[in-house]
PDB file of all heavy atoms in Angstrom:
ATOM      1  N   ILE A  79      11.931   3.516 -10.537  1.00 88.00           N
ATOM      2  CA  ILE A  79      11.017   2.399 -10.745  1.00 88.00           C
ATOM      3  C   ILE A  79      10.155   2.673 -11.970  1.00 88.00           C
ATOM      4  O   ILE A  79       9.877   3.821 -12.313  1.00 88.00           O
ATOM      5  CB  ILE A  79      10.131   2.135  -9.514  1.00 88.00           C
ATOM      6  CG1 ILE A  79       9.199   3.314  -9.223  1.00 88.00           C
ATOM      7  CG2 ILE A  79      10.967   1.818  -8.296  1.00 88.00           C
ATOM      8  CD1 ILE A  79       8.245   3.052  -8.074  1.00 88.00           C
ATOM      9  N   LEU A  83       0.990   3.252 -16.379  1.00 74.00           N
ATOM     10  CA  LEU A  83       0.282   4.488 -16.035  1.00 74.00           C
ATOM     11  C   LEU A  83      -0.990   4.198 -15.262  1.00 74.00           C
ATOM     12  O   LEU A  83      -1.402   4.966 -14.405  1.00 74.00           O
ATOM     13  CB  LEU A  83      -0.053   5.274 -17.307  1.00 74.00           C
ATOM     14  CG  LEU A  83       1.098   6.059 -17.941  1.00 74.00           C
ATOM     15  CD1 LEU A  83       0.628   6.691 -19.241  1.00 74.00           C
ATOM     16  CD2 LEU A  83       1.605   7.130 -16.985  1.00 74.00           C
ATOM     17  N   LYS A 120       6.567  -1.572  17.968  1.00 98.00           N
ATOM     18  CA  LYS A 120       6.590  -2.177  19.307  1.00 98.00           C
ATOM     19  C   LYS A 120       6.816  -3.679  19.203  1.00 98.00           C
ATOM     20  O   LYS A 120       7.600  -4.262  19.969  1.00 98.00           O
ATOM     21  CB  LYS A 120       5.270  -1.892  20.017  1.00 98.00           C
ATOM     22  CG  LYS A 120       5.191  -2.453  21.441  1.00 98.00           C
ATOM     23  CD  LYS A 120       3.771  -2.798  21.837  1.00 98.00           C
ATOM     24  CE  LYS A 120       3.299  -4.056  21.142  1.00 98.00           C
ATOM     25  NZ  LYS A 120       1.939  -4.473  21.522  1.00 98.00           N
ATOM     26  N   ARG A 167      18.775   7.789  12.662  1.00 92.00           N
ATOM     27  CA  ARG A 167      18.178   7.248  11.446  1.00 92.00           C
ATOM     28  C   ARG A 167      18.144   8.350  10.390  1.00 92.00           C
ATOM     29  O   ARG A 167      17.401   9.326  10.506  1.00 92.00           O
ATOM     30  CB  ARG A 167      16.776   6.729  11.744  1.00 92.00           C
ATOM     31  CG  ARG A 167      15.977   6.365  10.506  1.00 92.00           C
ATOM     32  CD  ARG A 167      16.482   5.105   9.820  1.00 92.00           C
ATOM     33  NE  ARG A 167      15.882   5.013   8.487  1.00 92.00           N
ATOM     34  CZ  ARG A 167      16.559   5.021   7.352  1.00 92.00           C
ATOM     35  NH1 ARG A 167      17.886   5.108   7.377  1.00 92.00           N
ATOM     36  NH2 ARG A 167      15.956   4.939   6.201  1.00 92.00           N
ATOM     37  N   ARG A 186       8.840   0.398  -0.989  1.00 94.00           N
ATOM     38  CA  ARG A 186       8.126   1.503  -1.641  1.00 94.00           C
ATOM     39  C   ARG A 186       7.671   1.108  -3.044  1.00 94.00           C
ATOM     40  O   ARG A 186       6.571   1.452  -3.482  1.00 94.00           O
ATOM     41  CB  ARG A 186       9.046   2.718  -1.711  1.00 94.00           C
ATOM     42  CG  ARG A 186       8.388   4.021  -2.116  1.00 94.00           C
ATOM     43  CD  ARG A 186       9.443   5.096  -2.234  1.00 94.00           C
ATOM     44  NE  ARG A 186       8.891   6.445  -2.260  1.00 94.00           N
ATOM     45  CZ  ARG A 186       9.337   7.411  -3.051  1.00 94.00           C
ATOM     46  NH1 ARG A 186      10.335   7.173  -3.884  1.00 94.00           N
ATOM     47  NH2 ARG A 186       8.809   8.614  -3.007  1.00 94.00           N
ATOM     48  N   ALA A 190       3.852   1.004  -4.334  1.00 92.00           N
ATOM     49  CA  ALA A 190       3.456   1.786  -5.513  1.00 92.00           C
ATOM     50  C   ALA A 190       2.772   0.894  -6.542  1.00 92.00           C
ATOM     51  O   ALA A 190       1.781   1.290  -7.175  1.00 92.00           O
ATOM     52  CB  ALA A 190       4.678   2.465  -6.123  1.00 92.00           C
ATOM     53  N   PHE A 226       8.446  -4.513   9.147  1.00 98.00           N
ATOM     54  CA  PHE A 226       8.716  -5.842   8.588  1.00 98.00           C
ATOM     55  C   PHE A 226      10.078  -5.843   7.884  1.00 98.00           C
ATOM     56  O   PHE A 226      10.811  -6.837   7.936  1.00 98.00           O
ATOM     57  CB  PHE A 226       7.600  -6.252   7.625  1.00 98.00           C
ATOM     58  CG  PHE A 226       6.278  -6.465   8.307  1.00 98.00           C
ATOM     59  CD1 PHE A 226       5.379  -5.419   8.443  1.00 98.00           C
ATOM     60  CD2 PHE A 226       5.943  -7.700   8.841  1.00 98.00           C
ATOM     61  CE1 PHE A 226       4.169  -5.591   9.099  1.00 98.00           C
ATOM     62  CE2 PHE A 226       4.739  -7.895   9.496  1.00 98.00           C
ATOM     63  CZ  PHE A 226       3.849  -6.835   9.623  1.00 98.00           C
TER      64      PHE A 226
END
Side-chain angles (χ1 to χ4, degrees):
I79 64 176
L83 282 176
K120 181 209 74 178
R167 170 71 194 118
R186 191 184 196 221
F226 294 91

